[in-house]
Amino acid sequence: MTFVIIGGDAAGMSAASKSKRNDPTIEVIVLEKTTDVSYLISGLSYNIADPHRKVDDLVVRPIQEFKDKLGIDVRLDHKVERIDRINKKVKGRSAAGREFELAYDKLLIASGARARRLSVPGIDPPRVVTLRSLEDGRRLKQLISSRIPKRSVIVGAGYIGLEMADAFYRRDVSVEIFDIESRLLPWMPSEMARIVQMEMESKGVKFHLESRLLKVEKKENKLCATFTTGTARADILLIAIGILPNSEIAAQAGLVLGARDAISVDTTMCASDPDIFAAGDCADMVHVVTGQKVLIPLGLIANRGGWAVGDNVTGKYTAVPGIVGTAVFEVFNMEVARTGLSFSEAQEAGFDAVETHIHSHSRALAYPGIQDIYVHLVADRSSDRLLGANVVGREGAAHRINSVATALHAKMGVREFYQCDMAYAPPFGPVWDPLLIAANQLIKKM
Amino acid sequence: MTFVIIGGDAAGMSAASKSKRNDPTIEVIVLEKTTDVSYLISGLSYNIADPHRKVDDLVVRPIQEFKDKLGIDVRLDHKVERIDRINKKVKGRSAAGREFELAYDKLLIASGARARRLSVPGIDPPRVVTLRSLEDGRRLKQLISSRIPKRSVIVGAGYIGLEMADAFYRRDVSVEIFDIESRLLPWMPSEMARIVQMEMESKGVKFHLESRLLKVEKKENKLCATFTTGTARADILLIAIGILPNSEIAAQAGLVLGARDAISVDTTMCASDPDIFAAGDCADMVHVVTGQKVLIPLGLIANRGGWAVGDNVTGKYTAVPGIVGTAVFEVFNMEVARTGLSFSEAQEAGFDAVETHIHSHSRALAYPGIQDIYVHLVADRSSDRLLGANVVGREGAAHRINSVATALHAKMGVREFYQCDMAYAPPFGPVWDPLLIAANQLIKKM
């Protein structure tokens, strides 16, 4: 059997390794359009922050290991351009311009996503950048070390934008962030978002909200970016306004697209063709809380999807019942974590949403080094069901979110969650964990 | 209505505050045999470690606040000696020797627990100590600062023993720990316990296992402790071999005792008399995993029980369905956390127990500052149900345990837990959280 995989990052290489480990007799061919496979893209901003680290440190496993140890046929510089479902073939072109054609028995589309671009004048490399690949990272790092930029402008205050603000700061590059939204981190209460914003502003980051980029010009060796709210001069301009799934070849092949134009898959990651699977940032998933399809591009989801495909193409049934969108990032000294639905997402999904947010502490009051911690919980008034959470703080926020994520998977009610017997010791929190304090407050509102 | 509470620590003062807040018209009288109420006893070892902190920093809320702000009648130095259930009265004696008698409508026994003692010759104050109260802490701290001890012997390698080893170390007192068990932390795999032991040994702590204390003598101003395995000389000897519930007055009043001679209560914390409740370290609780009654003396459990009583005596029904025994402590730089059943507890409870333990990391491999993290999971082979966990590591262990605790309350299967969508970012763990890696390994064994 020939198992062809389009895309050699998290989902693709997970599926390749898993299928080959399950059944060493199958032929696994990975077609990767770049020259990198299996890398930790989520580590890019942290890597850029550190001039002493090479971008290639982010490679999880070298290509040669996939080839030699696992017998996976990894073909770099191979861009698939067309899927012929009738004849079960993929067709494409190598970077050198050579056409190729390859038959498959099972196909995985793990083509990932690309940075969303803006169609305004002047968005030109090398100094206007996006960040999605190791190659993007290498170019940006090279730019920083060669041109020693003093000022940056970041368009977009999402995860990447905020993480890169931190990275630029560490490289002594000043940061101005512009975003079209009226506030930061719109999925959490504005009071909590303000904590993160204030932390960043204390480091000199300037925010310009409700700002749309109109054009970029070069003036006296500087980039001059004009926004609806004013202009900013910079040496580097980063566009970080989200992603678009690379689902075009799937659509052209007549496969059904789902949430946000990602490839629609069932819980076995099978697309609308029994021999074609999709996983990672190009595929949708069921959100456990709403039961709706969503596209949430995150590393664990890609890996999990890839593993499931590796099983399913080798006769081992593995389903991924769904996700809850648990995510965390670190910006300066703040841990910012979320899971499940925001208040407005809960309302949109038809829940009788009720929310609360509380301020507590990361350690017991009598313990040195105490920090603030903020918890936001959302629940459904009529069913009592917990729907989502945000946790923000200098310590203890990242891992706390996983208790709520677990509760969401278990479809726990707030009252049930409040009864959870959580760990307590003075270095790690108050007697009543901040999550329990928040749950108690939420119960009072219900 | 008169609500009398025996004992003014976590459970007692929680019940006092909650009942008074629910119904300001009731009379709440707290009878406390010591001169301290509402303190963070779990912070004692950390406090002793720091010569610049006063033991009184551990007082959560001053007595005057309970009296003035909440109108709670707190009577210190009041030791209850007898409960007269027929006439609904408690009788006792103050520290000054004055007898008192008090009628109740509802009674809460929150008399806590006392340190277990050894009946061997020479266990005499002031230099042979136990640690259960603020007064114990004040005496020990005074002893350390006045006599400047060089060497300590700790009998018992439980939480208190290990935490105090850390505290003595920070006070420049050498530590030898003796325990009758053949190994440290017997509820976790020996490989994981050894990690903790090695960490402590690297700081100079010496362990003597399978050692029983036979006698203590004074020789040349030193304590000389003779164990079955040899002798040790010290300036301070700490006995930390666990606790016994203060349930004697309950037993004398004919109330039913349960697990480990704690007062048996139902889920509303009501004892075997409809007007008498018990909560905290003197009361048992249902273990959610086994359905059996247990006595697990922990701060959150005491607070939760007290709150429930505060509700239940004021006509607001609140049940505590049960606990899973989640606990964490910090010793030197290690976080040591557990929840649910150990492998042998699972076997004893009749489960078809299967276990695994894995080694993973606290951060992504490409991220600086990475530390080892160890996870142990126990499950039931026939039902797939998750039964317990241990997590040990220099960072990220404490809060991770709560995800498993939540799963235990939800009665999740391992396969379901493995599907949980957990947070990932390079500073906080690998793409597959160590908990998920462990769950995956466990599934393979099932």
Side-chain angles (χ1 to χ4, degrees), chain A residues 11 22 34 49 81 85 94 188 199 284 331 344-346 398 407 442:
Chain A
N22 286 348
T34 74
E81 292 172 334
R85 287 169 58 198
S94 72
M188 61 173 71
E199 170 78 11
D284 65 9
V331 60
S344 61
E345 284 168 344
L442 194 53

PDB file of all heavy atoms in Angstrom, chain A residues 11 22 34 49 81 85 94 188 199 284 331 344-346 398 407 442:
ATOM      1  N   ALA A  11       1.288  17.447  11.554  1.00  0.00           N
ATOM      2  CA  ALA A  11       0.289  16.426  11.226  1.00  0.00           C
ATOM      3  C   ALA A  11       0.882  15.403  10.258  1.00  0.00           C
ATOM      4  O   ALA A  11       0.740  14.191  10.447  1.00  0.00           O
ATOM      5  CB  ALA A  11      -0.946  17.088  10.620  1.00  0.00           C
ATOM      6  N   ASN A  22       3.162   1.345  12.809  1.00  0.00           N
ATOM      7  CA  ASN A  22       2.089   0.340  12.858  1.00  0.00           C
ATOM      8  C   ASN A  22       2.321  -0.777  11.855  1.00  0.00           C
ATOM      9  O   ASN A  22       2.052  -1.938  12.130  1.00  0.00           O
ATOM     10  CB  ASN A  22       0.728   0.994  12.538  1.00  0.00           C
ATOM     11  CG  ASN A  22       0.214   1.840  13.686  1.00  0.00           C
ATOM     12  OD1 ASN A  22       0.733   1.784  14.793  1.00  0.00           O
ATOM     13  ND2 ASN A  22      -0.822   2.631  13.419  1.00  0.00           N
ATOM     14  N   THR A  34       8.529  22.869   1.089  1.00  0.00           N
ATOM     15  CA  THR A  34       9.723  23.612   1.523  1.00  0.00           C
ATOM     16  C   THR A  34      10.889  22.637   1.707  1.00  0.00           C
ATOM     17  O   THR A  34      10.805  21.485   1.286  1.00  0.00           O
ATOM     18  CB  THR A  34       9.461  24.341   2.865  1.00  0.00           C
ATOM     19  OG1 THR A  34       9.450  23.381   3.919  1.00  0.00           O
ATOM     20  CG2 THR A  34       8.135  25.087   2.851  1.00  0.00           C
ATOM     21  N   ALA A  49      13.897  35.541  19.613  1.00  0.00           N
ATOM     22  CA  ALA A  49      14.285  36.393  20.737  1.00  0.00           C
ATOM     23  C   ALA A  49      15.734  36.173  21.154  1.00  0.00           C
ATOM     24  O   ALA A  49      16.344  37.040  21.779  1.00  0.00           O
ATOM     25  CB  ALA A  49      13.353  36.131  21.924  1.00  0.00           C
ATOM     26  N   GLU A  81       0.170  20.163  -6.702  1.00  0.00           N
ATOM     27  CA  GLU A  81      -0.702  21.186  -7.308  1.00  0.00           C
ATOM     28  C   GLU A  81      -2.101  20.672  -7.616  1.00  0.00           C
ATOM     29  O   GLU A  81      -3.028  21.456  -7.792  1.00  0.00           O
ATOM     30  CB  GLU A  81      -0.047  21.725  -8.589  1.00  0.00           C
ATOM     31  CG  GLU A  81       1.220  22.522  -8.279  1.00  0.00           C
ATOM     32  CD  GLU A  81       1.998  22.916  -9.531  1.00  0.00           C
ATOM     33  OE1 GLU A  81       1.874  22.213 -10.562  1.00  0.00           O
ATOM     34  OE2 GLU A  81       2.727  23.929  -9.462  1.00  0.00           O
ATOM     35  N   ARG A  85      -8.671  12.489  -7.988  1.00  0.00           N
ATOM     36  CA  ARG A  85      -9.329  11.477  -7.156  1.00  0.00           C
ATOM     37  C   ARG A  85      -9.774  10.266  -7.955  1.00  0.00           C
ATOM     38  O   ARG A  85      -9.829   9.158  -7.429  1.00  0.00           O
ATOM     39  CB  ARG A  85     -10.540  12.104  -6.456  1.00  0.00           C
ATOM     40  CG  ARG A  85     -10.135  13.045  -5.322  1.00  0.00           C
ATOM     41  CD  ARG A  85     -11.321  13.851  -4.828  1.00  0.00           C
ATOM     42  NE  ARG A  85     -12.387  12.983  -4.381  1.00  0.00           N
ATOM     43  CZ  ARG A  85     -13.656  13.371  -4.222  1.00  0.00           C
ATOM     44  NH1 ARG A  85     -14.001  14.632  -4.480  1.00  0.00           N
ATOM     45  NH2 ARG A  85     -14.571  12.521  -3.821  1.00  0.00           N
ATOM     46  N   SER A  94       8.385  20.183  -8.663  1.00  0.00           N
ATOM     47  CA  SER A  94       9.454  20.395  -7.689  1.00  0.00           C
ATOM     48  C   SER A  94       9.961  21.824  -7.794  1.00  0.00           C
ATOM     49  O   SER A  94       9.660  22.523  -8.764  1.00  0.00           O
ATOM     50  CB  SER A  94      10.597  19.414  -7.936  1.00  0.00           C
ATOM     51  OG  SER A  94      11.288  19.800  -9.108  1.00  0.00           O
ATOM     52  N   MET A 188     -11.441  37.445  26.156  1.00  0.00           N
ATOM     53  CA  MET A 188     -11.461  37.495  27.627  1.00  0.00           C
ATOM     54  C   MET A 188     -12.032  38.834  28.104  1.00  0.00           C
ATOM     55  O   MET A 188     -12.118  39.781  27.337  1.00  0.00           O
ATOM     56  CB  MET A 188     -10.073  37.241  28.222  1.00  0.00           C
ATOM     57  CG  MET A 188      -8.998  38.217  27.838  1.00  0.00           C
ATOM     58  SD  MET A 188      -7.455  37.926  28.780  1.00  0.00           S
ATOM     59  CE  MET A 188      -6.884  36.390  28.063  1.00  0.00           C
ATOM     60  N   GLU A 199       1.054  45.096  31.234  1.00  0.00           N
ATOM     61  CA  GLU A 199       2.355  44.439  31.353  1.00  0.00           C
ATOM     62  C   GLU A 199       3.225  44.782  30.140  1.00  0.00           C
ATOM     63  O   GLU A 199       4.407  45.116  30.279  1.00  0.00           O
ATOM     64  CB  GLU A 199       2.152  42.920  31.438  1.00  0.00           C
ATOM     65  CG  GLU A 199       3.412  42.078  31.327  1.00  0.00           C
ATOM     66  CD  GLU A 199       4.209  42.054  32.624  1.00  0.00           C
ATOM     67  OE1 GLU A 199       3.669  42.507  33.645  1.00  0.00           O
ATOM     68  OE2 GLU A 199       5.370  41.596  32.591  1.00  0.00           O
ATOM     69  N   ASP A 284     -10.722  20.887   9.623  1.00  0.00           N
ATOM     70  CA  ASP A 284     -11.537  21.322  10.758  1.00  0.00           C
ATOM     71  C   ASP A 284     -11.663  20.195  11.782  1.00  0.00           C
ATOM     72  O   ASP A 284     -11.156  19.092  11.586  1.00  0.00           O
ATOM     73  CB  ASP A 284     -12.896  21.864  10.293  1.00  0.00           C
ATOM     74  CG  ASP A 284     -13.777  20.822   9.638  1.00  0.00           C
ATOM     75  OD1 ASP A 284     -13.433  19.626   9.673  1.00  0.00           O
ATOM     76  OD2 ASP A 284     -14.826  21.211   9.084  1.00  0.00           O
ATOM     77  N   VAL A 331       3.874  36.069  27.261  1.00  0.00           N
ATOM     78  CA  VAL A 331       4.281  37.352  26.708  1.00  0.00           C
ATOM     79  C   VAL A 331       4.891  38.170  27.851  1.00  0.00           C
ATOM     80  O   VAL A 331       4.254  38.392  28.872  1.00  0.00           O
ATOM     81  CB  VAL A 331       3.115  38.069  26.004  1.00  0.00           C
ATOM     82  CG1 VAL A 331       1.945  38.347  26.923  1.00  0.00           C
ATOM     83  CG2 VAL A 331       3.599  39.334  25.332  1.00  0.00           C
ATOM     84  N   SER A 344     -18.930  35.611  24.488  1.00  0.00           N
ATOM     85  CA  SER A 344     -19.717  35.908  23.286  1.00  0.00           C
ATOM     86  C   SER A 344     -19.842  34.678  22.393  1.00  0.00           C
ATOM     87  O   SER A 344     -20.887  34.458  21.778  1.00  0.00           O
ATOM     88  CB  SER A 344     -19.135  37.109  22.527  1.00  0.00           C
ATOM     89  OG  SER A 344     -17.822  36.823  22.122  1.00  0.00           O
ATOM     90  N   GLU A 345     -18.820  33.851  22.349  1.00  0.00           N
ATOM     91  CA  GLU A 345     -18.942  32.588  21.600  1.00  0.00           C
ATOM     92  C   GLU A 345     -20.039  31.703  22.208  1.00  0.00           C
ATOM     93  O   GLU A 345     -20.787  31.035  21.479  1.00  0.00           O
ATOM     94  CB  GLU A 345     -17.620  31.813  21.616  1.00  0.00           C
ATOM     95  CG  GLU A 345     -16.556  32.369  20.670  1.00  0.00           C
ATOM     96  CD  GLU A 345     -15.168  31.766  20.909  1.00  0.00           C
ATOM     97  OE1 GLU A 345     -14.955  31.150  21.978  1.00  0.00           O
ATOM     98  OE2 GLU A 345     -14.304  31.935  20.035  1.00  0.00           O
ATOM     99  N   ALA A 346     -20.127  31.713  23.524  1.00  0.00           N
ATOM    100  CA  ALA A 346     -21.153  30.906  24.197  1.00  0.00           C
ATOM    101  C   ALA A 346     -22.543  31.428  23.854  1.00  0.00           C
ATOM    102  O   ALA A 346     -23.465  30.655  23.587  1.00  0.00           O
ATOM    103  CB  ALA A 346     -20.927  30.925  25.705  1.00  0.00           C
ATOM    104  N   ALA A 398      -0.695  28.872  33.126  1.00  0.00           N
ATOM    105  CA  ALA A 398      -0.625  27.937  31.993  1.00  0.00           C
ATOM    106  C   ALA A 398      -1.201  26.567  32.350  1.00  0.00           C
ATOM    107  O   ALA A 398      -2.072  26.049  31.657  1.00  0.00           O
ATOM    108  CB  ALA A 398       0.821  27.783  31.533  1.00  0.00           C
ATOM    109  N   ALA A 407     -12.345  19.323  32.413  1.00  0.00           N
ATOM    110  CA  ALA A 407     -13.758  19.442  32.804  1.00  0.00           C
ATOM    111  C   ALA A 407     -14.651  19.638  31.582  1.00  0.00           C
ATOM    112  O   ALA A 407     -15.765  19.100  31.524  1.00  0.00           O
ATOM    113  CB  ALA A 407     -13.935  20.597  33.787  1.00  0.00           C
ATOM    114  N   LEU A 442     -19.189  31.974  40.242  1.00  0.00           N
ATOM    115  CA  LEU A 442     -20.073  31.752  39.097  1.00  0.00           C
ATOM    116  C   LEU A 442     -21.380  31.095  39.553  1.00  0.00           C
ATOM    117  O   LEU A 442     -22.467  31.457  39.087  1.00  0.00           O
ATOM    118  CB  LEU A 442     -19.354  30.884  38.059  1.00  0.00           C
ATOM    119  CG  LEU A 442     -19.987  30.821  36.672  1.00  0.00           C
ATOM    120  CD1 LEU A 442     -20.234  32.209  36.116  1.00  0.00           C
ATOM    121  CD2 LEU A 442     -19.104  30.018  35.725  1.00  0.00           C
TER     122      LEU A 442
END
